[in-house]
Amino acid sequence: MKKTSLDRILQSQGFGSRKGCRDLIEDGEVKVNGELVTKWKTEFDPEGLQFTVFDEEWEYREKVYLVLNKPSGYECSRKPTHHPAVLTLLPENMEWRDVQPVGRLDHDTTGMLLLSDDGAFIYAQSSPKRHQPKTYLATTAEPVSDKLVADLLAGVKLIDEDEPIAAVSAVQRGENQIEIVLEQGKYHQVKRMLAAAGNHCAALSRTAIGDLQLAELDLEIGEWRFLTEAELAILNR
């Protein structure tokens, strides 16, 4: 990549305005490859650049692709109304980078949430045309019955939908737990489908997107990390 001044590099990584990034550098808060740099005009090749801001280590990334194990009580919105924004669980520079959730989980739904500042990635992952399956584990108010499973697989009629909506798969996982795989991504879909089938959702967690499994990501509730190239390849299949 073309060499770029350090202030521009920091700005692209979400560490503030150009002036704010220059102040960080001149105040001695930035190191590049372990060496203190105090002149903001100093140029570097951004590709693979390792740097620290306030002694926290970072690597230059043209775009970021994150996965979060979302806790309950957070809204997937940049302008939340009743609960904290899920973006508050990320470092501040991610908001400066305009990182956004890929789709939404309800404030009381937990589990796998992707976030990125790559508009093309967000669109591709959110588009219903891709039929990207998403797996949910629902805890139900009433015991799971064979009829409930059968109805979800056959399709249930939702208000404002012209045709019945069916689950890709529905498997009982406990007396009051059912794993449901969906492709449509309708508003409150799992909750509405369970209600239409005669039960109610007491708790809900997204456990997988496509073949990417939350259980394999080693993330505690509330933790996030960058997706690896291999994990991105799984999502982009």
Side-chain angles (χ1 to χ4, degrees), residues 68 70-71 74-77 80 84-90 101 113 115:
L68 167 74
K70 179 188 173 295
Y74 287 84
E75 293 184 25
C76 294
S77 171
V86 72
L87 294 173
T88 61
L89 297 170
L90 304 178
L113 179 67
L115 305 102

Side-chain angles (χ1 to χ4, degrees), residues 175-190:
E175 183 178 359
N176 287 73
Q177 284 197 321
I178 184 169
E179 182 182 87
I180 303 172
V181 179
L182 304 175
E183 287 184 346
Q184 299 89 356
K186 305 286 185 181
Y187 179 70
H188 292 324
Q189 186 174 348
V190 175

Side-chain angles (χ1 to χ4, degrees), residues 65 114 118 120-126 130 132 209-212 227-237:
Y65 308 92
L114 305 178
D118 183 345
F121 174 81
I122 293 172
Y123 175 79
Q125 290 295 320
S126 304
R130 284 200 68 211
Q132 177 78 291
I209 297 176
D211 291 327
L212 190 64
L227 288 165
T228 66
E229 290 296 329
E231 290 161 352
L232 281 171
I234 291 173
L235 289 170
N236 290 326
R237 284 174 184 168

Side-chain angles (χ1 to χ4, degrees), residues 75-103:
E75 293 184 25
C76 294
S77 171
R78 297 181 64 83
K79 296 180 179 180
T81 54
H82 302 294
H83 304 273
V86 72
L87 294 173
T88 61
L89 297 170
L90 304 178
E92 186 178 2
N93 63 311
M94 295 301 167
E95 188 165 2
W96 275 87
R97 290 193 66 143
D98 198 28
V99 166
Q100 300 178 42
V102 179

